[in-house]
Amino acid sequence: QVQLQLWGAGLLKPSETLSLSCAVYGGSLTGYYWNWIRQSPGKGLEWIGEISQSGSTNYNPSLKSRVTMSVDRSKNQFSLNLSSVTVADTAVYFCARRPDGLDFWGQGKTVTVSS
Amino acid sequence: EIVLTQSPDFQSVTPKEKVTITCRASQDIATRLHWYHQKPGQSPKLLIKYASQSIPGVPSRFSGSGSGTEFTLTINGLEAEDAATYYCHQTSLGPLTFGGGTKVEI
């Protein structure tokens, strides 16, 4: 059974960089897109972007200027950096695997941006 | 960007009832439409992929239909554990997008 474990800082100040990583257990990075999704308090789901095991990326244009994704094949994990955060970036962040739909998800990480 | 519009926003139902949720896409997405539900404090869970394909381990009371711009998720014989928010999601064209959600309350 594939498991995704997500970690990173949970409290940031405005203008800092959000950094999250997601480790994949029980499966390979190969053959899938690895996604980041967020959910603002009480709101719906927003797609941030995705990366393949080869490093090919697709980003949401609304966040593209601030997003960087990377993959570490040796550690079987992938990462998200979101720069210049504001309070609007406060959300629960999820990582997920996409072969077609998003079939395996990490547990979610609450990230709060506050001065 | 492809906009997905779900209806209704909220539905209050009783156990064993049949529930139908609709998702309309702003342009043709063929069958690249997937359904999830999310319970409070949990990650979303994939219920149906490619509009109508079942997922191993998901109860057979969940089914999907549609293509193009109109899609339906049906729950036949709702159970108490199905109380959740339901989302549709398209992977036809970037950026990937989600519907606004339908909250199903028992």
Side-chain angles (χ1 to χ4, degrees):
Chain A
Q1 178 81 340
V2 173
Q3 293 186 6
L4 278 65
Q5 186 169 344
L6 169 57
W7 74 92
L11 181 61
L12 297 170
K13 295 186 187 309
S15 81
E16 292 184 333
T17 295
L18 177 157
S19 293
L20 297 174
S21 293
C22 185
V24 180
Y25 298 101
S28 170
L29 293 177
T30 303
Y32 302 98
Y33 271 96
W34 300 92
N35 282 247
W36 292 96
I37 301 101
R38 70 181 183 180
Q39 187 169 36
S40 301
K43 298 291 181 64
L45 300 164
E46 179 182 24
W47 181 73
I48 300 170
E50 62 185 5
I51 186 167
S52 71
Q53 63 90 22
S54 66
S56 174
T57 56
N58 298 302
Y59 298 149
N60 192 324
S62 68
L63 298 167
K64 187 174 183 176
S65 64
R66 299 192 291 132
V67 169
T68 304
M69 295 182 185
S70 61
V71 63
D72 187 335
R73 290 179 291 278
S74 68
K75 295 182 178 179
N76 221 42
Q77 66 187 46
F78 58 105
S79 299
L80 167 70
N81 278 1
L82 180 67
S83 64
S84 304
V85 297
T86 71
V87 293
D89 294 311
T90 293
V92 177
Y93 286 75
F94 297 98
C95 55
R97 187 181 82 166
R98 186 173 77 85
D100 27 59
L102 297 160
D103 62 352
F104 288 99
W105 293 65
Q107 77 278 19
K109 173 71 178 179
T110 299
V111 176
T112 302
V113 181
S114 174
S115 56
Chain B
E1 161 174 326
I2 295 175
V3 177
L4 298 178
T5 303
Q6 287 185 234
S7 60
D9 294 333
F10 177 85
Q11 194 162 8
S12 183
V13 296
T14 55
K16 301 191 192 308
E17 193 172 333
K18 178 180 177 179
V19 174
T20 300
I21 299 170
T22 298
C23 178
R24 289 188 173 86
S26 59
Q27 63 187 76
D28 190 335
I29 57 171
T31 58
R32 293 183 176 85
L33 189 285
H34 318 288
W35 290 97
Y36 307 81
H37 72 188
Q38 183 183 30
K39 299 180 182 181
Q42 296 186 16
S43 304
K45 177 184 177 181
L46 182 64
L47 299 174
I48 298 288
K49 66 179 182 179
Y50 289 123
S52 62
Q53 294 182 16
S54 59
I55 302 296
V58 174
S60 58
R61 62 182 180 272
F62 293 96
S63 64
S65 64
S67 67
T69 61
E70 187 148 341
F71 303 86
T72 300
L73 175 71
T74 300
I75 311 172
N76 273 302
L78 187 88
E79 298 192 4
E81 66 185 27
D82 300 332
T85 300
Y86 290 77
Y87 294 97
C88 56
H89 168 226
Q90 68 82 20
T91 56
S92 176
L93 186 67
L96 308 188
T97 51
F98 293 87
T102 296
K103 186 173 183 178
V104 173
E105 182 182 88
I106 310 294

